[in-house]
Amino acid sequence: MFQRWVFVLFISVFVFSHNATAGNNFEIVTLGDRGGIQDGNLTAFLLKASKDKNYVTLDAGTLVNGLIVAEQKGTFEHVKVPDSSPYNKVGYLLKERVKGYFISHAHLDHVAGMIIASPDDSGKSIYGLASVNQALSSSYFNWVSWPNFGDRGDGFQLKKYKYNDMPPKKWLDVKGTSLRVKAFPLSHSGIESTAFLFSNEDAAMVYLGDTGPDKVEKSDSLNQVWTSLVPYIQAGNLKGIMIEVSFTNAVKDTMLFGHLTPDWLITELKQLERKAGGKGSLEDLKIVVSHVKYSLKKGEDPKVVIKRQLKEKNDLGVEFIFPVQGEGLIL
C-alpha cells in the first residue's frame, strides 16, 4: 500500500511539473543586462515559446559573449548539439537555433553583438520598424562601418540578413517559431524605438526598447502600448513586461535623453493599472527591468539603488525582476 501511494505521488508530481513547464509560457535567456558603456554585457535577450526549440533575440547589444557566459553558467545544459554538427554549443545556438533578430532601435548598445558576429553567423531575418532597418543599413552594413551583410543598401550585398520591415500594429508570424509579433513605435529622445508584443497562442508578453515617459517625450507612444495590453491583463494572459530603467531618480528629466527612472516607471505602470481596471489589476504581474546603465562613479551600483527605489514605491503589487547576464527566466 505504501509503495502504491509513493508511486501515485511520484506520478502526480511529475504531471504537475510537466504541465507547469509545458504551458504557453515564454523562456528568456539574458545575454546582456546593461545599457550604456559596459561592453560585453549590453542589452540583449533570447526569447522562445516554451514549446519551441528555436529562439529569437530581443535586441543584440551583446551576442556571442552572452552565449558564452550563459553556457558557462549551465543555462543551456538542456541543449544537445547533434553529433553531425561541426559547431561547439555556442556556434550551434547562434547558427542553428537563433532564427531572427528583433531590433528596437539602431543605437550601438543594442546592435553591436549582431554586427560583430555577422561574419560567422547564419542567414536570418532582422525584424524592425522601417526606420530602424534603414538606420542599420545606412549606418553599419554599408562597407564603410562594416561589410554589407544585408539584402539592401550600399555596396555589394552579401544578403546573409533579410530586412523585414514591420508595419506598426500589425501581427506577423515569426519564421521558425510558433510566435506571433506586433510592433509599436516608441519615442526615444528624437528617434523611433520599438515595443514588440509577442503572442504564444493565448499568452502574451511585451518587450520595450529604450523609451522615455510620455510626459517628458511629449508623446502618446507608451499610452498606446498600455492600451494594447489591457485585454491580455483582463483575461489573465499577460505573462510579463520587459522594460528599461536606465537611471536612478537622481537624474533630472532634462538629462534622461529618452529613458526611464524608477519614479517614471511607477508613473507609467499606474497609467496601465487605471486602464486595466484600477487598483490591484496588475497584482503579481512580472516586470523585468532592463538596460540599467553602468556607472564609473564611486558609490552604490545604480542597479542596487534602482531596486530599492522601485521597492519603496511599489504599491501596485507587481513583481520587479532584475535579469542577470547568462541566466534564464520564465514568464
Side-chain angles (χ1 to χ4, degrees):
M1 183 70 179
F2 176 77
Q3 289 178 326
R4 181 181 177 186
W5 181 84
V6 170
F7 177 77
V8 171
L9 178 62
F10 171 80
I11 293 297
S12 298
V13 170
F14 173 81
V15 170
F16 175 80
S17 62
H18 176 75
N19 288 340
T21 58
N24 297 328
N25 295 316
F26 301 91
E27 296 181 15
I28 294 163
V29 178
T30 302
L31 302 183
D33 61 59
R34 290 283 191 167
I37 65 173
Q38 192 179 347
D39 54 295
N41 186 17
L42 296 172
T43 302
F45 301 89
L46 292 182
L47 169 73
K48 77 179 190 70
S50 291
K51 64 185 177 184
D52 284 349
K53 172 169 92 166
N54 297 323
Y55 296 90
V56 296
T57 77
L58 308 174
D59 284 323
T62 293
L63 191 54
V64 171
N65 190 62
L67 290 169
I68 291 170
V69 172
E71 185 193 13
Q72 291 172 343
K73 289 188 174 184
T75 303
F76 295 120
E77 197 169 25
H78 64 288
V79 175
K80 304 302 180 186
V81 180
D83 292 338
S84 59
S85 174
Y87 305 114
N88 60 25
K89 187 169 286 189
V90 168
Y92 173 68
L93 285 162
L94 176 66
K95 296 174 77 73
E96 302 292 341
R97 299 287 285 272
V98 175
K99 296 301 182 182
Y101 300 116
F102 283 85
I103 304 299
S104 67
H105 63 296
H107 281 170
L108 198 56
D109 59 337
H110 291 255
V111 300
M114 177 184 69
I115 294 167
I116 294 298
S118 57
D120 286 352
D121 201 358
S122 57
K124 56 197 64 165
S125 289
I126 297 175
Y127 298 87
L129 295 172
S131 65
V132 177
N133 284 340
Q134 174 58 35
L136 289 172
S137 173
S138 62
S139 298
Y140 302 118
F141 294 128
N142 57 14
W143 287 104
V144 178
S145 300
W146 204 250
N148 185 355
F149 286 99
D151 62 351
R152 70 176 74 154
D154 294 340
F156 180 71
Q157 298 168 9
L158 296 168
K159 298 187 178 180
K160 179 177 286 187
Y161 296 144
K162 174 179 174 55
Y163 291 106
N164 192 323
D165 292 343
M166 300 181 68
K169 303 177 186 178
K170 298 286 181 67
W171 285 111
L172 295 176
D173 294 327
V174 182
K175 187 177 179 180
T177 78
S178 64
L179 297 169
R180 301 184 74 218
V181 65
K182 187 188 293 188
F184 294 81
L186 295 175
S187 181
H188 179 40
S189 191
I191 71 161
E192 194 170 50
S193 184
T194 318
F196 297 108
L197 174 61
F198 290 90
S199 73
N200 170 23
E201 295 183 4
D202 58 348
M205 63 82 63
V206 64
Y207 170 83
L208 292 88
D210 291 0
T211 184
D214 279 350
K215 186 173 181 180
V216 175
E217 293 286 304
K218 297 179 172 53
S219 167
D220 189 49
S221 296
L222 278 174
N223 179 59
Q224 292 190 41
V225 174
W226 302 151
T227 299
S228 75
L229 297 182
V230 168
Y232 297 100
I233 294 171
Q234 293 178 340
N237 292 333
L238 185 66
K239 300 294 185 176
I241 297 172
M242 300 182 70
I243 190 167
E244 69 123 280
V245 178
S246 295
F247 300 116
T248 70
N249 289 331
V251 177
K252 297 179 180 179
D253 290 352
T254 54
M255 300 300 293
L256 290 179
F257 302 111
H259 294 292
L260 293 170
T261 63
D263 278 353
W264 275 119
L265 176 56
I266 294 292
T267 297
E268 288 292 345
L269 289 176
K270 285 186 175 180
Q271 290 275 64
L272 175 58
E273 183 186 55
R274 282 191 286 271
K275 287 176 173 288
K279 194 68 175 174
S281 58
L282 303 188
E283 190 81 29
D284 297 326
L285 181 62
K286 293 179 180 179
I287 310 294
V288 181
V289 178
S290 67
H291 202 266
V292 176
K293 297 228 179 187
Y294 179 81
S295 175
L296 297 173
K297 294 182 179 180
K298 292 180 179 178
E300 282 187 293
D301 182 342
K303 183 181 278 192
V304 174
V305 178
I306 288 169
K307 282 183 180 180
R308 182 171 63 246
Q309 291 176 341
L310 284 171
K311 183 178 180 180
E312 289 170 351
K313 296 289 183 70
N314 183 14
D315 58 356
L316 298 156
V318 299
E319 179 187 356
F320 289 114
I321 298 170
F322 285 77
V324 176
Q325 186 180 37
E327 296 183 3
L329 60 96
I330 294 177
L331 295 181

